[in-house]
Amino acid sequence: MLLLYATNLFFPMNRTIIILISLFTTLCSTQMLSAQHSVARDWNEELLNAIRRDYARPTVHARNLFHSSIIMYDAWAIFNAQAEPLFLGKTYNGYTCNFNGINTPSDRDAATHEILSYAMFRLMNHRFQYSPNAGTTSSALKVLFTSYGYDIGFTSTDYSTGSYGALGNYLAEQIIAFGLQDNSNEQNDYYNKYYTPVNDPLVLELYEDNGDIDPNRWQPLAFAYYIDQSGNPTGINTPDFLSPEWGEVSPFSLKNTDLQILNDSFNCYVYNDPGPPVYIQNSAADGINDPYKWHFALVASWSAHLDPNDDTMIDISPGALGNVDISEFPETFEEYKAFYNFTDGGDIGTGHDLNPITGQPYIQQLVKRSDYARVLAEFWADGPDSETPPGHWFTILNYVNDHPLTIKKFGGTGAVLDALEWDVKSYLVLAGAMHDAAINTWGIKGYYDYIRPISAIRYMASKGQSTDPALSSFDPHGIPLIPGYIELIETGDPLAGFNDKNVGEIKIFAWKGPEFIQDPDTDVAGVDWILGTHWWPYQRGTFVTPPFAGYLSGHSTFSRAAAEVLTNITGDQFFPGGMGTFDIAQNDFLVFEEGPTESFTLQWATYQDASDQTSLSRIWGGIHPPIDDIKGRIIGEKIGNESYNLALQYFNGTLSLPVNISQQFAQVYPNPFHDKISITTSYTGKANLTMYTIDGKLILDKSIYTNQSPINIELSNLTTGVYFIKLIAENNQEILVKKVLKN
């Protein structure tokens, strides 16, 4: 999605500044900007297009973006006097990519261009060969590749001849080989090896009673005709859980100290474990006091905001929305209730007093709440023809990179970088964060296996109400009654049905669902009272909800990580000019129903504001309750900063500097362990590894080379108990002494 420049239409400026910016923006036409793009930007745009044509798999495409960024960065770094390559000539996450060097070129930019292009062409052809639109992608790749004058038929990897094209082919070959052993299961189309859902599928078109499921666990959805979020027909009716085992994939900056291997039905690799979500309680009365019921009832309540006939107006400018500090994020149930506005929507953000660039207040922008909520749900959903959340944030980064007010000083300090250096560095940081966010989030999703709103709301509505035991349909697992939003059907109600069949059942004031839309170019479903067992998210009827567990929200984690990356690399939390924008055209934006009813502009002062808006959009869209949101934001912030800090070590060439053994890092994980244990250490060299029982009996004694880190030790035959592990350097200095537990 292409973001548009912020202009003086949205904030007042000094007239001279307005004229200068207007002239500069005119000079920076689309053609000129395209001509100034680096080769890295060209290939990134081609990758985003390939993702748009492929199946909507956020985990897979976060990995594609990251592996591509490694290629781009290393193709540049090998000729830079300061920077350190990440992959070429390194042992990276247990994989050794040998590199014997190549002659320094007389034209480094041309050599980098050639290496990068050959490597990207080979990698992308490999990764998208089974895409549903593989032919279109392959043709597009050939057009870009040959436009540079390169030879498609040149496939040699023998760079000893001094061929930069051969080095590019070799780099792609090595990245592909690395990807076939990084635990993604790419060679089997990323299929799940261990995960099995607990609940039977919910058959959407039958509106069955959903009261027999485990209300705390994810439920597959069965469609008459399933089309994935990118608009691709899949030929399947019940999509599998996407990537529940993704926590085991080799990361970028995630730390082993933050890793636990937790076992439900299989070993789940979980970084930054947020603890469990809220589970349903047996309510004797006042079910709204059960956090589970409150969280999912809030999703149902916000669904009432999606009617274009609702004339409620809200100010959506940065002067009214956003500016929520992480210290204000809720932790307790009472804090959650204070943070989110249950009836009116939104959060506690009150906006920014002034645009820090202009020194002027942001101009008020009043729009219908129904238009705003529907557009947010669609814009941030990354639906048909979009690029999944990781790719969406690359479009935002590219928008910032193209903005005439962006000064390309990395971190906001130092020299202005040329386009190529800026791009390869910023892409590596953002892609590393997106890749780690996918690993972290989907490891959590796979372990906690938490239910989605469509299943939870229909489950509670099938059970009845949990508010008042004196009323009909009381059940401890029922949905809370909320006047005006969730009520019981009475005699005479339009929903009562023939012979009062539905009297005593639950009704919800909500978006009516995709069945009420025949022509999306002219129809709207609107909001009305519907049977609670017929509740829908605000999504296409052929998609409904992403095919994986809810907790944690991938959108919240990806977006907050990206916001931290953009803040770090630009050295400013604000968008260029103090505001980023995206124009929404009247009746020409929504995909599965007509709308919005008027044109307006999405606006964000800071990258964090855009991220927080993403999180709220998933509640209005019926995809996540608040419990999925906040901890994703917190983990995302951590990942974004860690990705930036690690990348700086590569950029500054400090990652491989020797340190004293007393300063070395070493860790044993998991602890407790089951079948095997791993050791990671920053010490490189020969060492002696020993293991003792608690009473001092030596049971393991071997020499190892720590540059093969992580060191994996098979201990499946070891009996349950407490043991001690020692790792001693060749000069007899102690690297590690650790007590471990076998369970």
Side-chain angles (χ1 to χ4, degrees), residues 130-172:
Y130 303 118
S131 167
N133 297 288
T136 303
T137 292
S138 177
S139 296
L141 296 176
K142 289 176 183 177
V143 168
L144 179 59
F145 188 70
T146 56
S147 72
Y148 299 137
Y150 297 135
D151 180 6
I152 291 173
F154 181 72
T155 60
S156 171
T157 59
D158 183 9
Y159 62 87
S160 67
T161 62
S163 167
Y164 300 113
L167 180 54
N169 288 335
Y170 173 76
L171 178 54

Side-chain angles (χ1 to χ4, degrees), residues 38-51 54 59-77 86-88 92 112-128 137 141 144 168 171-179 182 186 190 250 252 390-391 394 397-398 420 422-435 651:
S38 73
V39 63
R41 171 65 176 274
D42 289 345
W43 282 107
N44 178 256
E45 294 285 6
E46 206 57 62
L47 174 56
L48 293 174
N49 284 331
I51 291 171
D54 196 21
T59 50
V60 172
H61 294 312
R63 176 175 173 270
N64 284 332
L65 286 160
F66 177 54
H67 289 182
S68 297
S69 76
I70 293 174
I71 282 174
M72 296 180 185
Y73 171 73
D74 274 15
W76 171 84
L86 183 147
F87 191 70
L88 271 174
Y92 182 75
T112 293
H113 193 292
E114 187 172 348
I115 296 166
L116 190 155
S117 294
Y118 271 91
M120 285 295 294
F121 181 71
R122 303 300 175 197
L123 176 66
M124 289 182 64
N125 272 293
H126 168 78
R127 289 284 170 84
F128 293 94
T137 292
L141 296 176
L144 179 59
L171 178 54
E173 175 189 76
Q174 291 297 302
I175 289 285
I176 290 169
F178 168 71
D182 71 345
E186 178 191 337
Y190 312 99
S250 299
F252 174 54
F394 267 83
L397 170 61
N398 287 336
L420 178 61
W422 175 270
D423 285 346
V424 299
K425 287 182 173 180
S426 61
Y427 288 166
L428 182 65
V429 180
L430 181 58
M434 297 298 92
H435 182 55
F651 303 159

Side-chain angles (χ1 to χ4, degrees), residues 407-459:
I407 300 174
K408 296 181 178 179
K409 294 182 177 183
F410 210 80
T413 62
V416 175
L417 306 185
D418 63 45
L420 178 61
E421 182 174 352
W422 175 270
D423 285 346
V424 299
K425 287 182 173 180
S426 61
Y427 288 166
L428 182 65
V429 180
L430 181 58
M434 297 298 92
H435 182 55
D436 283 356
I439 292 170
N440 203 147
T441 305
W442 265 257
I444 292 167
K445 286 178 183 287
Y447 179 67
Y448 288 108
D449 194 37
Y450 196 54
I451 195 167
R452 290 281 190 169
I454 187 169
S455 297
I457 291 171
R458 290 193 183 188
Y459 169 82

Side-chain angles (χ1 to χ4, degrees), residues 56-363:
R57 300 179 290 186
T59 50
V60 172
H61 294 312
R63 176 175 173 270
N64 284 332
L65 286 160
F66 177 54
H67 289 182
S68 297
S69 76
I70 293 174
I71 282 174
M72 296 180 185
Y73 171 73
D74 274 15
W76 171 84
I78 58 173
F79 301 130
N80 184 273
Q82 182 180 31
E84 182 175 342
L86 183 147
F87 191 70
L88 271 174
K90 297 293 190 70
T91 295
Y92 182 75
N93 277 327
Y95 182 88
T96 299
C97 175
N98 295 312
F99 178 53
N100 298 320
I102 196 167
N103 293 333
T104 301
S106 56
D107 187 339
R108 297 185 182 188
D109 288 345
T112 293
H113 193 292
E114 187 172 348
I115 296 166
L116 190 155
S117 294
Y118 271 91
M120 285 295 294
F121 181 71
R122 303 300 175 197
L123 176 66
M124 289 182 64
N125 272 293
H126 168 78
R127 289 284 170 84
F128 293 94
Q129 60 184 312
Y130 303 118
S131 167
N133 297 288
T136 303
T137 292
S138 177
S139 296
L141 296 176
K142 289 176 183 177
V143 168
L144 179 59
F145 188 70
T146 56
S147 72
Y148 299 137
Y150 297 135
D151 180 6
I152 291 173
F154 181 72
T155 60
S156 171
T157 59
D158 183 9
Y159 62 87
S160 67
T161 62
S163 167
Y164 300 113
L167 180 54
N169 288 335
Y170 173 76
L171 178 54
E173 175 189 76
Q174 291 297 302
I175 289 285
I176 290 169
F178 168 71
L180 295 176
Q181 55 86 70
D182 71 345
N183 298 314
S184 66
N185 202 24
E186 178 191 337
Q187 56 269 44
N188 293 308
D189 199 27
Y190 312 99
Y191 287 151
N192 302 333
K193 294 181 287 186
Y194 310 113
Y195 175 86
T196 302
V198 168
N199 290 315
D200 291 332
L202 173 63
V203 183
L204 293 163
E205 64 180 0
L206 298 182
Y207 292 113
E208 299 173 307
D209 185 301
N210 205 39
D212 292 333
I213 66 168
D214 182 337
N216 297 316
R217 302 294 290 271
W218 180 71
Q219 182 180 31
L221 302 181
F223 297 79
Y225 189 63
Y226 176 65
I227 298 176
D228 87 334
Q229 193 160 358
S230 289
N232 295 302
T234 62
I236 60 175
N237 300 106
T238 306
D240 292 332
F241 190 132
L242 174 73
S243 306
E245 300 146 15
W246 205 255
E248 198 171 352
V249 173
S250 299
F252 174 54
S253 64
L254 292 174
K255 294 180 172 60
N256 286 324
T257 50
D258 294 323
L259 173 65
Q260 298 181 66
I261 301 179
L262 307 174
N263 191 285
D264 183 15
S265 57
F266 63 95
N267 284 340
C268 298
Y269 286 63
V270 176
Y271 294 88
N272 299 304
D273 180 18
V278 291
Y279 296 132
I280 197 164
Q281 300 173 9
N282 288 323
S283 300
D286 299 324
I288 196 65
N289 294 325
D290 173 357
Y292 177 103
K293 300 184 182 79
W294 180 89
H295 279 274
F296 287 105
L298 180 141
V299 177
S301 172
W302 285 24
S303 183
H305 303 157
L306 304 173
D307 189 351
N309 292 319
D310 179 354
D311 292 327
T312 301
M313 305 294 287
I314 60 172
D315 180 6
I316 66 166
S317 75
L321 301 179
N323 198 19
V324 178
D325 189 78
I326 194 171
S327 64
E328 299 175 274
F329 287 172
E331 296 180 8
T332 67
F333 180 39
E334 292 303 316
E335 290 172 346
Y336 268 93
K337 290 193 288 184
F339 186 85
Y340 296 91
N341 191 320
F342 190 99
T343 55
D344 295 330
D347 60 21
I348 61 172
T350 56
H352 304 262
D353 292 334
L354 299 174
N355 181 324
I357 307 303
T358 67
Q360 299 294 320
Y362 290 97
I363 298 298

